[in-house]
Amino acid sequence: MRLPSIVALWLVCLLSGFALPAGAQEPVRWLAHDMQRPRPPVVAPAASDCPAPPPADAVVLFDGKDLSGWRDAEGGPAKWIARDGYMESVPNSGYIYSAGKFGDVQLHVEWAAPLPAKGRSQGRGNSGVFLMGLYEVQVLDSYDNETYADGQAAAIYGQYPPLVNACRPPGEWQSYDIFFRRPRFHADGTVERKARITVVHNGILVQDNVEIWGPTAWLQNRPYEPQEPKLPISLQDHGNPVRYRNLWLRELPETPPAGPPASEPPPVVALSTAELQEFVGAYKTLLGDFGKIELHGEQLQLHMETGQVIDLIPRSPTEFAFRWTAAKLDFDVRDGKVAGFTMHLAGDKYPVKRVGG
Ligand code: MG
């Protein structure tokens, strides 16, 4: 593209309210709460999927009876109301914090905005679910309620609008299913991995494994700071009586690091082309054709009747491992001739006979 075209593109983007990256690796960022930012399309969710009871290994954060699992900011009793199977935020009573501390979680939340709806924009049915007390998944009555895109229901507040607006009307129960990986820090306190989050709102994907920039905040851009690996989950009092019920989570194990298999494979033996050639031929089971063993260059391959082509790695003069699978062939060699093999796969053994060279 010639230079004048690039300048023109910048101008068009700036004038139309779009942000351009400063460098090739920089994500496109809007200023927080920009009313120019397009609102996500509205998608009506299916009929209610609530309540979703907890699975067997869940930690139940609120069982509908009392607030014994929650604290106020000073560690005292939570001052919200619990009744009729739900809890409700009490204006000016403050945020509440789970008694337990958590890091990586699958978190299920059901909430309902006040009915009748009162107020507008951020003043209608506002609350929030804060992972580790730092990263807010916005709770807001976004049903027919205009506000900035990164502040509507299921936004990562001030950072990521939801992919769609899947809000139910006020008074109806809605669900968030949140999948959260906490940030990781190096020993010197610098960020090793930012937090990541996926959110499903009323059965619809609204945040797709997005990378959180830092703790969410109003009018600020807070950087990551070293933090404990587990912290309480908090719920926001924003002055509106929002209800919650059926809060449970599953603690997620560490993601196993990518790398070589857990067990080292036994050493590979070197077989000559002539030795490898001895295994080439057609093979059958009692049920019919099994496949063929072929030699391509120095690579012995099993071509199964079912279509799979498998590289065979010699582990001994008569034992060949599959290259990518925990399986092997033990060849039966009689009087210097290959008579067949036993395939070992997933704890089972399959006898296979050779029918032609
Ligand atoms: Mg909020």
Side-chain angles (χ1 to χ4, degrees):
M1 191 183 287
R2 285 176 298 121
L3 189 62
S5 305
I6 296 172
V7 173
L9 176 63
W10 268 95
L11 277 173
V12 166
C13 291
L14 288 171
L15 291 172
S16 60
F18 284 95
L20 272 186
Q25 301 303 312
E26 282 291 305
V28 175
R29 279 197 186 180
W30 288 82
L31 291 177
H33 316 329
D34 189 339
M35 291 300 283
Q36 302 261 22
R37 194 170 189 174
R39 307 300 188 278
V42 173
V43 174
S48 179
D49 56 346
C50 305
D57 64 349
V59 176
V60 175
L61 298 176
F62 175 64
D63 62 2
K65 296 187 182 110
D66 60 54
L67 290 166
S68 55
W70 295 84
R71 308 280 182 266
D72 69 8
E74 281 75 46
K79 297 181 185 70
W80 291 20
I81 293 167
R83 67 181 169 220
D84 300 333
Y86 62 81
M87 62 162 130
E88 184 175 296
S89 69
V90 174
N92 305 315
S93 65
Y95 289 36
I96 62 171
Y97 299 80
S98 63
K101 296 179 176 181
F102 307 97
D104 293 350
V105 291
Q106 171 187 350
L107 172 64
H108 178 84
V109 174
E110 294 172 19
W111 60 273
L115 184 69
K118 264 200 202 161
R120 54 172 289 279
S121 187
Q122 293 291 302
R124 184 186 296 183
N126 194 334
S127 180
V129 179
F130 284 71
L131 284 305
M132 308 189 88
L134 293 167
Y135 312 102
E136 183 184 13
V137 180
Q138 172 72 309
V139 168
L140 192 82
D141 178 3
S142 286
Y143 189 84
D144 203 13
N145 177 31
E146 184 81 351
T147 192
Y148 43 84
D150 59 26
Q152 66 179 68
I156 306 307
Y157 185 74
Q159 300 187 11
Y160 295 97
L163 295 171
V164 299
N165 178 350
C167 239
R168 294 199 170 107
E172 289 190 21
W173 285 103
Q174 322 212 23
S175 66
Y176 282 167
D177 286 288
I178 297 168
F179 308 87
F180 175 74
R181 291 286 182 184
R182 66 178 174 85
R184 264 68 175 174
F185 297 88
H186 293 294
D188 67 0
T190 55
V191 177
E192 180 189 352
R193 265 183 289 159
K194 294 178 180 178
R196 301 197 78 95
I197 192 163
T198 294
V199 181
V200 175
H201 184 191
N202 294 330
I204 297 174
L205 181 70
V206 288
Q207 299 289 351
D208 185 8
N209 193 30
V210 296
E211 188 177 70
I212 300 175
W213 308 342
T216 57
W218 185 54
L219 308 185
Q220 294 174 79
N221 185 24
R222 289 175 60 195
Y224 280 103
E225 289 173 7
Q227 58 181 78
E228 292 177 42
K230 294 190 177 189
L231 288 167
I233 288 167
S234 65
L235 300 175
Q236 185 182 44
D237 162 29
H238 199 281
N240 305 136
V242 173
R243 294 175 181 177
Y244 289 93
R245 72 175 187 191
N246 217 7
L247 289 109
W248 54 259
L249 62 80
R250 299 180 59 254
E251 294 193 80
L252 301 177
E254 292 283 329
T255 308
S263 58
E264 281 293 308
V268 179
V269 297
L271 298 181
S272 68
T273 306
E275 287 170 313
L276 291 170
Q277 189 69 42
E278 293 295 316
F279 300 96
V280 169
Y283 291 81
K284 269 191 172 200
T285 67
L286 288 173
L287 300 173
D289 290 340
F290 181 79
K292 291 190 171 110
I293 289 182
E294 300 177 4
L295 187 61
H296 295 269
E298 297 298 305
Q299 180 60 62
L300 206 62
Q301 285 184 333
L302 171 62
H303 291 245
M304 294 173 70
E305 276 298 303
T306 43
Q308 291 82 1
V309 177
I310 296 153
D311 285 353
L312 297 175
I313 312 300
R315 301 294 182 200
S316 82
T318 58
E319 183 187 313
F320 288 75
F322 286 24
R323 185 185 291 280
W324 303 116
T325 309
K328 67 174 183 175
L329 306 184
D330 264 333
F331 282 91
D332 177 16
V333 181
R334 295 178 197 172
D335 303 328
K337 281 264 178 201
V338 174
F341 59 77
T342 301
M343 183 169 76
H344 299 255
L345 173 62
D348 290 320
K349 295 179 186 176
Y350 304 88
V352 180
K353 287 207 178 325
R354 191 181 193 200
V355 290

